[in-house]
Amino acid sequence: MAVQLQRLSHIALHVRDSERLARDLLRRFRFQLCGTRVTERAKQIALRRGSAVFVVNESRVGERSEPGGLLYDVVPAQAVDSACNVSFEVKDVERATLRLHRLGCQVVVPPRPVEDELGWVTYSVVRSVVGNISHTLIDRSGYRGEFLPGFVQPPCPGDCAEEREVSGGPVAISHFDHITYACPRRQSVQIMDWYRRCFGFQRFLVNRSEDLNHGYVIEGNNVGLRLTAMEYWKCSEVGMAMPTNGQQKLDCKFVIAESLASQGKNQIDTFLDQHHGAGIQHVGLYTTDIVSTCKFLTDAGVQFFCPPSAYYNETEKWQEIMKAGQDPELLSQYGILLDSDIDDEHWKGEAKCQGPANTRYLMQTFTKPIFSEETFFLELIERKGASGFGEGNIRALWKSVQICMDQQEDKNL
Ligand SMILES: O=C(O)C(=O)Cc1ccc(O)cc1
């Protein structure tokens, strides 16, 4: 039987310069410091926005997880900066780890306790089948502190002068919406199967036109992408308020992206090349107000991909944005993409189409890679009833990346 997860705890990023990245997340992305841990051999900085927590890890390559080394994580083999750990809270770490071991998972850190004056936790680390990704399992039911034992809380969390300055403003990021893996061709099925067996993840259809056997395939005009998505349903527990079917969804979805052989240079293959293998390509941060969040982050120096101007100039797209009740000028100012999820009948303007109230759509914008390689980036996403991903937005993103790569190549000539 698969392991039961309680919730997503955090995503760990392993980098060569933790202070620079933590500064970016604080000052540019408006995250708040929630704890730091510094030893002779490791630096760890935890940052939070809503329930989205990043832990920025720095340690000497090759150091294992042992006294003075990293806590709650292992050091990836490659020296390249990477988002490579997704941590889950579970109820019973020993049982969960044993179960995963029996299912054939590699356990890299067996269950171990950590405590400080605010309580205790138990954690273990297992390897995923995807590239350098590992999963930490944590039971923090015995801990009262802001983050995890070993991390020193800032003197006045969320209330220091600098903290107030950097965390204020309308940056309405509430949680991780999704985590997207980039993987080599023809591996999606095997990855999906591993997450189903180990964690009970279930297939989630990205788009109404998706084929159950082949995933959501977007092909043509320089795009060749296969997406397969999965989500986790947590079984109900006695005494917990749950929907009547007794299951509750983990907020975060997992998306597996692979490129198709027929297409040329692209975002996935560039990632695999520069990251030296499969891994987390991007994380979607959910916002309840993408325009103001994007404005704030842009003013703070975050660089976003700009869709080609033709995107907003197309009459159909313009009308689609207007029908959703959004302002095309404003969206184009910030490079925000919009995709509606409505059936054709509806879209043809038949009687059923009543404007914004009937339109399910989502808006997205993508940052440029936040490491020095063309690898990991962040996304802002605001959903208005649409739960999947839109083809139009993905095509526009790929085109923007392509334009950027071409400009870079021209500069290098
Ligand atoms: O749209 C999203 O956020 C996705 O996660 C889909 C996706 C996957 C891979 C890409 O290179 C671009 C888009």
Side-chain angles (χ1 to χ4, degrees):
M1 211 173 87
V3 162
Q4 273 211 21
L5 306 176
Q6 298 292 106
R7 63 186 65 81
L8 200 142
S9 166
H10 62 268
I11 297 175
L13 313 167
H14 206 280
V15 298
R16 285 157 289 189
D17 186 348
S18 57
E19 281 181 18
R20 190 197 63 77
L21 180 60
R23 214 178 307 121
D24 272 0
L25 288 170
L26 272 171
R27 302 218 169 125
R28 299 210 157 122
F29 289 91
R30 303 301 210 254
F31 274 65
Q32 290 171 296
L33 189 64
C34 62
T36 51
R37 176 175 179 271
V38 181
T39 71
E40 261 175 37
R41 290 159 36 202
K43 257 191 236 159
Q44 300 184 267
I45 307 169
L47 303 128
R48 175 193 300 279
R49 186 90 222 172
S51 68
V53 179
F54 282 121
V55 176
V56 179
N57 286 331
E58 177 185 341
S59 70
R60 285 198 227 135
V61 177
E63 294 283 356
R64 305 310 302 173
S65 175
E66 50 197 38
L70 287 181
L71 268 183
Y72 314 113
D73 204 354
V74 284
V75 182
Q78 306 96 321
V80 66
D81 289 354
S82 179
C84 48
N85 178 283
V86 181
S87 295
F88 298 112
E89 284 186 33
V90 298
K91 265 191 157 171
D92 184 337
V93 173
E94 273 91 2
R95 239 174 94 176
T97 312
L98 185 62
R99 203 169 269 175
L100 290 173
H101 173 68
R102 288 193 176 140
L103 285 166
C105 287
Q106 190 190 351
V107 177
V108 265
V109 179
R112 60 170 59 166
V114 190
E115 62 177 60
D116 66 15
E117 63 289 352
L118 294 169
W120 58 269
V121 302
T122 308
Y123 84 95
S124 69
V125 186
V126 300
R127 262 198 208 301
S128 151
V129 275
V130 185
N132 64 352
I133 298 172
S134 60
H135 293 294
T136 297
L137 307 176
I138 306 177
D139 168 13
R140 67 185 317 281
S141 58
Y143 194 63
R144 285 173 287 117
E146 162 79 8
F147 184 54
L148 289 169
F151 280 75
V152 178
Q153 288 183 29
C156 39
D159 198 31
C160 302
E162 193 192 8
E163 275 289 287
R164 224 179 300 127
E165 190 201 319
V166 297
S167 65
V171 177
I173 292 169
S174 57
H175 61 273
F176 293 126
D177 177 85
H178 62 275
I179 299 174
T180 298
Y181 294 171
C183 74
R185 289 181 194 119
R186 290 180 293 278
Q187 284 199 4
S188 302
V189 172
Q190 178 213 340
I191 294 171
M192 174 72 218
D193 189 55
W194 188 85
Y195 278 94
R196 186 186 48 73
R197 278 189 302 111
C198 295
F199 294 112
F201 280 29
Q202 292 173 24
R203 181 77 178 276
F204 160 83
L205 294 185
V206 171
N207 193 285
R208 71 174 73 238
S209 61
E210 175 168 353
D211 177 323
L212 205 54
N213 295 320
H214 298 103
Y216 183 38
V217 175
I218 306 174
E219 208 169 9
N221 288 335
N222 285 333
V223 181
L225 181 68
R226 182 195 312 281
L227 298 179
T228 316
M230 46 198 186
E231 61 187 350
Y232 179 74
W233 288 90
K234 181 157 94 80
C235 290
S236 74
E237 290 159 46
V238 180
M240 281 182 84
M242 294 275 181
T244 44
N245 65 2
Q247 292 203 312
Q248 194 190 38
K249 230 189 310 184
L250 211 72
D251 278 339
C252 190
K253 300 176 188 73
F254 288 74
V255 182
I256 308 163
E258 59 174 74
S259 70
L260 300 177
S262 53
Q263 303 292 327
K265 200 172 170 197
N266 65 75
Q267 228 185 348
I268 304 296
D269 292 340
T270 305
F271 177 96
L272 296 175
D273 184 32
Q274 300 204 10
H275 183 260
H276 306 300
I280 297 178
Q281 182 218 31
H282 76 265
V283 169
L285 299 167
Y286 187 92
T287 168
T288 48
D289 186 346
I290 197 167
V291 174
S292 73
T293 303
C294 198
K295 177 178 179 344
F296 238 74
L297 301 199
T298 305
D299 291 347
V302 174
Q303 293 200 327
F304 290 93
F305 274 113
C306 276
S309 53
Y311 177 88
Y312 301 99
N313 294 340
E314 268 175 23
T315 317
E316 257 184 52
K317 186 51 80 179
W318 189 274
Q319 284 174 349
E320 187 182 352
I321 296 174
M322 296 289 284
K323 278 206 169 126
Q326 296 292 332
D327 176 355
E329 298 276 5
L330 200 57
L331 297 198
S332 80
Q333 192 178 338
Y334 294 109
I336 297 169
L337 308 165
L338 183 145
D339 247 335
S340 307
D341 172 24
I342 48 183
D343 53 79
D344 287 342
E345 293 261 290
H346 188 136
W347 191 231
K348 278 179 206 142
E350 316 229 326
K352 270 193 287 169
C353 185
Q354 314 260 312
N358 271 359
T359 310
R360 286 188 311 224
Y361 63 98
L362 63 95
M363 292 179 286
Q364 294 166 290
T365 179
F366 302 86
T367 72
K368 297 213 168 148
I370 66 166
F371 300 150
S372 42
E373 293 80 16
E374 299 283 319
T375 53
F376 179 70
F377 58 91
L378 295 172
E379 167 188 339
L380 297 176
I381 183 162
E382 180 177 351
R383 295 186 182 277
K384 295 284 193 187
S387 55
F389 298 96
E391 174 168 347
N393 287 1
I394 295 170
R395 283 189 181 280
L397 168 66
W398 274 47
K399 224 173 263 172
S400 328
V401 174
Q402 195 63 53
I403 291 169
C404 236
M405 286 202 257
D406 291 347
Q407 283 169 348
Q408 199 59 45
E409 267 173 23
D410 287 349
K411 255 194 232 160
N412 295 343
L413 282 179

